[in-house]
Amino acid sequence: MLTKVKMPLPDMMAAVLAMDESVLDVDQVKNLIKFCPTKEEMELLKVKINKLIILNSYILFCQGYTGDKENLEKCEQYFLELMKVPRVESKLRVFSFKIQFLSHVRKSVKLKIMKKILFFG
């Protein structure tokens, strides 16, 4: 899933925080939700972040990681970005709802009729 993401991860998280539906569509948001770690997994990540991780023959510290993020795998970069966003899964679900709601409103025939009635008086 992450290999299909063509935008930088910080930009993707900024779009999530801004709830910008022009950047991400509902399918992309649903995939982000699907691959979002649970609270328990996030807690495990927080515990493991304080420990030394050996990755691709590099020894890295993840918490406050100041090294080149390009040395990390895409998945680790994704989790680092997710951990910066409080209540990320809830925000993603709200974002998904917003996109779907706006889509239904835009397609609503009754709304179009009401607009015409209000326009013509």
Side-chain angles (χ1 to χ4, degrees), residues 7-18:
M7 71 179 72
L9 290 168
D11 294 348
M12 180 175 55
M13 287 302 140
V16 168
L17 286 173

Side-chain angles (χ1 to χ4, degrees), residues 53-69:
I53 297 175
I54 300 174
L55 175 70
N56 291 339
S57 304
Y58 294 104
I59 299 176
L60 307 169
F61 288 99
C62 280
Q63 186 173 17
Y65 180 70
T66 57
D68 186 12
K69 290 188 179 177

Side-chain angles (χ1 to χ4, degrees), residues 1-7 9 12-13 31-32 35 73-79 82:
M1 192 276 306
L2 291 173
T3 56
K4 295 178 183 176
V5 176
K6 301 300 180 201
M7 71 179 72
L9 290 168
M12 180 175 55
M13 287 302 140
N31 279 331
L32 291 174
F35 293 104
E73 295 293 326
K74 191 86 166 171
C75 184
E76 284 82 15
Q77 293 175 20
Y78 173 69
F79 285 130
L82 278 181

Side-chain angles (χ1 to χ4, degrees), residues 29-118:
V29 174
K30 284 182 179 182
N31 279 331
L32 291 174
I33 293 169
K34 186 167 58 171
F35 293 104
C36 192
T38 63
K39 289 180 183 179
E40 293 81 19
E41 290 170 328
M42 290 292 275
E43 289 302 317
L44 285 173
L45 282 171
K46 287 178 185 177
V47 169
K48 288 182 179 183
I49 267 181
N50 292 324
K51 297 179 181 178
L52 217 63
I53 297 175
I54 300 174
L55 175 70
N56 291 339
S57 304
Y58 294 104
I59 299 176
L60 307 169
F61 288 99
C62 280
Q63 186 173 17
Y65 180 70
T66 57
D68 186 12
K69 290 188 179 177
E70 298 303 316
N71 290 336
L72 297 173
E73 295 293 326
K74 191 86 166 171
C75 184
E76 284 82 15
Q77 293 175 20
Y78 173 69
F79 285 130
L80 282 175
E81 289 300 319
L82 278 181
M83 293 185 77
K84 293 177 186 176
V85 180
R87 299 177 311 279
V88 67
E89 186 177 356
S90 298
K91 289 180 182 179
L92 287 168
R93 291 188 186 283
V94 169
F95 188 23
S96 173
F97 174 79
K98 176 189 172 190
I99 294 170
Q100 291 173 349
F101 179 78
L102 290 176
S103 173
H104 289 301
V105 167
R106 288 181 187 124
K107 293 178 183 176
S108 173
V109 173
K110 289 180 183 178
L111 185 63
K112 290 177 184 177
I113 292 171
M114 292 204 37
K115 282 183 185 178
K116 289 179 182 179
I117 290 171
L118 290 173

